[in-house]
Amino acid sequence: MKVIFVVGILLSLMLLVSITQQSYAATTSLFPKSPPKKTVNTYVDEGLGFQINIPSGWHEGSLNDEGLTQDLTLIVLSPDENARINITYQQLPTTIVKTTPDKFSKEGKTKIENYLKEGMQKKMLNTKFGKLSAMYYTNGVSISLPYSQSINTGGQTSQLRGVIYWYFLTETGDMYVLETLSTADSYKTYQSSFLKAVNSFYVFPE
């Protein structure tokens, strides 16, 4: 049975955790200078400046389904359509854009945390979060967060599992959000495909 993941897409702006600095590299860029090797399944978005390798056999989903956020840029579906990868692009508020990595002290982290809290408090229901991981670089921040969620569709309750990956580019204000999502009992089946896709994600230099 196919599961409609509309609720999961709302996660791209919702987080209620304390952002803890795991690492700070003074001269390391958030993305490497050279993009990962392209394959026949590489998706390139010149307008938003990124590329990602779509897992073999997976396909693009429709962005026109009712209930999808307008910021959603790409949906990639597994062959059985019970797993997906969502990519969202947004511009960060100017109050966060001006927060540079060397100022990621209490003030900087509070700005990001409050921004994400606001969306979470308005939208999130029946969600449990796992351990957050944050990495700080000279030009931005990467954050990953696993979660599980219960949704009710057609009178039936489904358990979803996923991971959200946030990429903040502090100089430009660009924010890319990747979300890997499937039914909880099948997440491990897709995990390898999820990780390969996430690890291939690349943002072109300005």
Side-chain angles (χ1 to χ4, degrees):
M1 178 182 68
K2 296 179 181 179
V3 178
I4 300 176
F5 296 109
V6 172
V7 177
I9 295 168
L10 297 175
L11 290 166
S12 61
L13 285 179
M14 308 157 200
L15 170 64
L16 182 57
V17 290
S18 175
I19 295 178
T20 302
Q21 181 169 338
Q22 301 289 332
S23 174
Y24 174 74
T27 59
T28 303
S29 173
L30 176 56
F31 294 101
K33 292 182 179 180
S34 300
K37 184 179 180 180
K38 288 185 179 180
T39 71
V40 294
N41 298 316
T42 300
Y43 174 92
V44 179
D45 190 318
E46 296 286 355
L48 295 179
F50 74 86
Q51 71 177 51
I52 187 171
N53 294 341
I54 295 175
S56 179
W58 291 44
H59 60 277
E60 291 183 45
S62 173
L63 296 175
N64 298 321
D65 292 340
E66 184 178 355
L68 298 184
T69 173
Q70 294 181 349
D71 298 312
L72 194 62
T73 298
L74 175 68
I75 300 173
V76 181
L77 299 171
S78 62
D80 59 9
E81 300 192 356
N82 279 329
R84 70 190 298 153
I85 300 169
N86 301 321
I87 298 182
T88 304
Y89 169 83
Q90 293 182 333
Q91 277 281 312
L92 287 169
T94 55
T95 54
I96 298 179
V97 174
K98 299 303 180 183
T99 304
T100 55
D102 60 329
K103 296 180 181 177
F104 269 120
S105 56
K106 182 178 180 180
E107 178 186 2
K109 288 186 284 187
T110 297
K111 286 182 180 180
I112 295 177
E113 182 178 354
N114 289 343
Y115 175 66
L116 297 173
K117 266 186 188 178
E118 183 179 350
M120 188 278 179
Q121 291 170 335
K122 291 180 179 179
K123 302 285 187 180
M124 289 300 295
L125 292 172
N126 304 319
T127 302
K128 295 181 180 179
F129 294 107
K131 183 179 180 181
L132 176 143
S133 177
M135 296 287 288
Y136 292 77
Y137 302 87
T138 54
N139 64 337
V141 186
S142 67
I143 298 172
S144 63
L145 181 72
Y147 71 89
S148 60
Q149 185 181 46
S150 298
I151 64 169
N152 189 291
T153 55
Q156 293 185 334
T157 300
S158 300
Q159 298 294 324
L160 305 182
R161 180 181 173 188
V163 180
I164 312 169
Y165 302 86
W166 285 269
Y167 299 100
F168 300 89
L169 297 176
T170 52
E171 293 299 317
T172 62
D174 294 322
M175 179 173 73
Y176 299 87
V177 186
L178 278 65
E179 180 185 8
T180 59
L181 177 66
S182 75
T183 53
D185 58 358
S186 61
Y187 192 87
K188 287 185 177 180
T189 302
Y190 304 108
Q191 193 164 22
S192 176
S193 295
F194 285 152
L195 291 176
K196 287 180 181 178
V198 170
N199 290 334
S200 73
F201 181 71
Y202 176 77
V203 173
F204 307 135
E206 290 292 320

